[in-house]
Amino acid sequence: MTDTPARLLTLLSLLQTPREWPGSELAGRLGVSSRTIRRDIDRLRDLGYPVEATLGAEGGYRLVAGAAMPPLVLDDEEAVAIAVGLRAGAGHAIEGVEEASVRALAKLEQVLPSRLRHRVGSLQAATVALTRGDGASIDPRTLTTMASATAGRERLRFAYRAADGAGTRRLVEPNRLVSTGWRWYLVAFDLDRDDWRTFRVDRVSEPFATGARFVPRELPMDAVAFVERGLRGGGGGTPAYEVDLRFEAEPEAVPGWLGSAVALPGGGCRVRFSCADAPEWLAVRIALAGLPFTVDGPPSLAAAARALGTRLTSAAVAR
């Protein structure tokens, strides 16, 4: 292999396999001399790849963890597996990794060859995820289109379905995608309405970046606070309610998606936040936290928690 860039990429791909490679084996794989392999290893080190060499008859080369992660080289199967996994995670707003999943998916799908994009799409179409069934799962392509337009500062067009079912076409300047842990929202400046708006992404269809660039406008507040304000006022499309919970646990034990927990004088902690989800589903999510809790409000959530407890107790009774 006489093409140095191609040879370096092939060498890097081999080294990214978690094993130690003898120099003679690498030379045989690439059809070059051991001396050329040593030069190529030095080139990779100059590019920031931490390649470690061991001496002796059984010595060789391996890639080790460094201070920063250099670019990865993936084969076709690895790229497809990662894209499918990211699509599945991004489409259901997995807590803690949701925004990173969308950014990584947008980068990966931008460079996937068409043959691999087709395979990813086929695998996605042939599988189904077990979700809560309230229609909040979304097509990851919608997320990646929005993420790319946001990062590239491109105006975005899409069809939008309001809470009452009315459909509109929107032209916006996207500012930020925000995940609540169970839903995605797009914060954007609506050009037709000349104002900032929050859009539920599961109600978006046919999004496409227009290619028209824009200079970002200044959002009146932090994007997360803007979404929270919209939810409190029903701006997310579903009327919100105030949740008031007490947990018999230390504040740091409360899941982060619930918001900031405040310690109580007598022990335990309190959490308050706005929510636009169905009380029945929220009760399930709170119960899955695995902490003893009391619902101080609203009554609809308290009723949903009692009903859930009754059903679970009944199901656990020995027959």
Side-chain angles (χ1 to χ4, degrees), residues 13 25 96 163 171 233 292:
S13 179
E25 185 175 351
L171 175 62

Side-chain angles (χ1 to χ4, degrees), residues 16-303:
Q16 285 177 344
T17 303
R19 55 161 288 190
E20 189 167 278
W21 290 87
S24 57
E25 185 175 351
L26 291 174
R29 289 274 192 129
L30 298 177
V32 297
S33 66
S34 295
R35 182 179 180 183
T36 299
I37 290 297
R38 288 194 295 271
R39 289 175 179 166
D40 287 348
I41 292 294
D42 288 337
R43 290 189 180 101
L44 289 178
R45 288 169 175 160
D46 290 341
L47 292 171
Y49 291 90
V51 181
E52 182 180 79
T54 55
L55 302 176
E58 301 298 324
Y61 301 99
R62 66 188 182 97
L63 196 64
V64 299
M69 191 186 82
L72 295 175
V73 177
L74 305 173
D75 63 27
D76 286 4
E77 300 301 324
E78 293 166 341
V80 168
I82 291 174
V84 170
L86 288 172
R87 278 189 171 198
H92 300 288
I94 296 175
E95 295 165 23
V97 298
E98 54 274 4
E99 292 190 25
S101 295
V102 174
R103 290 198 307 272
L105 182 57
K107 291 177 181 178
L108 181 59
E109 294 201 340
Q110 182 179 1
V111 298
L112 278 181
S114 59
R115 69 180 190 280
L116 297 187
R117 282 199 298 269
H118 177 73
R119 287 179 59 186
V120 171
S122 297
L123 279 170
Q124 193 77 15
T127 59
V128 61
L130 180 62
T131 63
R132 58 195 171 104
D134 69 348
S137 63
I138 55 181
D139 186 342
R141 288 173 295 184
T142 297
L143 276 175
T144 55
T145 298
M146 289 183 161
S148 296
T150 301
R153 299 178 178 178
E154 287 185 67
R155 289 180 175 174
L156 186 70
R157 284 191 182 276
F158 54 84
Y160 192 69
R161 175 178 51 82
D164 60 4
T168 56
R169 303 289 303 185
R170 302 298 183 99
L171 175 62
V172 305
E173 295 177 351
N175 176 274
R176 188 73 181 272
L177 280 165
V178 177
S179 171
T180 63
W182 56 91
R183 276 205 181 105
W184 282 99
Y185 294 89
L186 173 69
V187 177
F189 189 84
D190 191 319
L191 293 168
D192 293 328
R193 289 153 182 79
D194 194 31
D195 199 4
W196 290 97
R197 290 288 188 272
T198 299
F199 301 95
R200 261 181 54 174
V201 177
D202 58 295
R203 292 177 176 165
V204 169
S205 60
E206 305 171 37
F208 70 93
T210 64
R213 306 286 178 175
F214 65 88
V215 177
R217 303 169 192 259
E218 185 175 352
L219 188 65
M221 63 186 73
D222 176 76
V224 172
F226 188 80
V227 170
E228 290 175 341
R229 188 186 71 172
L231 291 177
R232 286 195 296 271
T238 302
Y241 51 89
E242 296 298 319
V243 177
D244 188 357
L245 305 171
R246 280 181 290 128
F247 288 92
E248 296 178 24
E250 296 300 315
E252 55 270 20
V254 176
W257 68 266
L258 284 166
S260 300
V262 178
L264 295 172
C269 60
R270 181 182 296 278
V271 177
R272 292 190 175 103
F273 60 94
S274 296
C275 181
D277 248 17
E280 294 78 11
W281 170 242
L282 181 59
V284 172
R285 285 175 57 82
I286 296 170
L288 288 175
L291 303 172
F293 70 95
T294 301
V295 179
D296 289 334
S300 58
L301 179 58

